[in-house]
Structure formats: structure tokens, C-alpha cells
């Protein structure tokens, strides 16, 4: 997958958006889709992607930010409540040098608990039944 140049419609998140690949979805409307990260840095680690084809922050049309960030906030609220977290960390990696590995804009929503550190970015796959259980908790919190 090229890490510079135009948006690539065959990136993993575009394929999840089109329903070509499975995901544990927790939220979807006309603006955004949210689903669990398969290599969670904390339990309930959720990704929120816009439906607009933008590689990253710098490619997103300025007038699309308001609606998209409103969804990020809505999902963050459900993630915190559903996972009974003490707090949240939000992250966005821009470009390969910035740590981005999938080139469709996304915000990471990471539930946090006092005294519990984050696992490494993109380190280990979580079991499908664990992801399924976390997604159910988050979906129930909207
Ligand atoms: P980035 O490094 O681009 O900010 O984050 C990409 C994220 O996508 C990583 O945290 C990685 O674990 C996650 N990821 C990679 N492939 C898949 C996939 O096929 N499905 C899901 N749900 N997450 C993925």
C-alpha cells in the first residue's frame, strides 16, 4: 500500500466501509463508521473513520471536520461508558513517518484506567470473541 500520493480505494478501512471485510462495528451513520481495532492498545480500542475518502487529517475538507468530530465525540462517550473507563486517550497518526499504517483518516479512541498502561501500537491480535464482547458493551452505551 503506497504511503504517499492519492487516496487508495483498496485500503483496509475502505474495504470495511464497503462491507468487503468484516469488523466489529459499534456505530454507523451517513458521516462516520466506528469499529474495534483488531490489535487493541487497550480493551475497547475503537477506530472512528469518516465516510469521505481522505487519507489523513491534511486531506479532509475543512467543512467536513465538524460533522466528523461530532461523531468522534459521540463514539468516545459510548466507549468510555460502555467500557466503564476512567478516561480516554485520542490519537491520530498522520503519514507513514507519523506512524500511520492505514491510509484512510481515523481517530483512535483508547479507554484508560488509572494505573493501567497502553499496549504497543499494532502489536498483537485480540481474540475475536473478546472483541465481540467489547463491541456489545460499547453498542449498549449509545
Ligand atoms: P494507524 O497506524 O494507521 O494509525 O492505525 C491503524 C490501526 O488499524 C492499527 O491500530 C491496527 O491495529 C488497526 N488495523 C489494522 N488492520 C486492521 C483490520 O483489518 N481491521 C481492524 N479492525 N483494525 C485493523
Amino acid at each position: 500500500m503506497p504511503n504517499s500520493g492519492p487516496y487508495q480505494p483498496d485500503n483496509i478501512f475502505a474495504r470495511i466501509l464497503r462491507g468487503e471485510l468484516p469488523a466489529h462495528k459499534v456505530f454507523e451513520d451517513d458521516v462516520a463508521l466506528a469499529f474495534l481495532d483488531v490489535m487493541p492498545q487497550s480493551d475497547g480500542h475503537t477506530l472512528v473513520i469518516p465516510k469521505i475518502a481522505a487519507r489523513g487529517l491534511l486531506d479532509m475538507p475543512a467543512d467536513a471536520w465538524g460533522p466528523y468530530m461530532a461523531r468522534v465525540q459521540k463514539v468516545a462517550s459510548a466507549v468510555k461508558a460502555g467500557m466503564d473507563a476512567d478516561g480516554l486517550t485520542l490519537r491520530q497518526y498522520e503519514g507513514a513517518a507519523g506512524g500511520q499504517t492505514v491510509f484512510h483518516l481515523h481517530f483512535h479512541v483508547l479507554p484508560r484506567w488509572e494505573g493501567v498502561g497502553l499496549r504497543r501500537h499494532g502489536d498483537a491480535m485480540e481474540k475475536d470473541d473478546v472483541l465481540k464482547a467489547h463491541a456489545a458493551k460499547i453498542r449498549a452505551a449509545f
Side-chain angles (χ1 to χ4, degrees):
M1 184 68 61
N3 61 27
S4 62
Y7 181 84
Q8 300 290 318
D10 56 345
N11 74 76
I12 293 168
F13 294 169
R15 297 189 64 200
I16 289 174
L17 261 180
R18 291 195 296 269
E20 295 168 7
L21 291 175
H24 291 285
K25 298 179 184 179
V26 298
F27 172 84
E28 182 166 16
D29 71 359
D30 56 328
V31 171
L33 171 68
F35 52 91
L36 292 198
D37 194 306
V38 288
M39 290 176 269
Q41 288 185 261
S42 67
D43 290 352
H45 179 170
T46 299
L47 302 169
V48 189
I49 70 174
K51 292 205 164 173
I52 286 177
R55 287 177 61 90
L57 175 142
L58 300 178
D59 310 294
M60 185 75 160
D63 62 358
W65 277 106
Y68 172 52
M69 290 310 290
R71 273 57 174 196
V72 173
Q73 183 191 42
K74 186 180 173 85
V75 171
S77 174
V79 168
K80 183 170 183 285
M83 295 304 296
D84 197 21
D86 299 324
L88 299 168
T89 297
L90 269 71
R91 287 185 172 167
Q92 188 263 329
Y93 301 84
E94 182 76 3
Q100 187 176 10
T101 58
V102 179
F103 297 94
H104 181 114
L105 175 64
H106 51 283
F107 272 77
H108 297 255
V109 178
L110 298 153
R112 302 301 302 272
W113 293 270
E114 297 293 347
V116 180
L118 291 177
R119 301 189 282 271
R120 287 210 317 234
H121 181 217
D123 201 23
M125 289 282 283
E126 184 56 278
K127 293 187 203 72
D128 197 63
D129 58 339
V130 172
L131 294 175
K132 189 176 177 184
H134 291 162
K137 284 186 182 186
I138 295 167
R139 274 197 298 270
F142 278 92

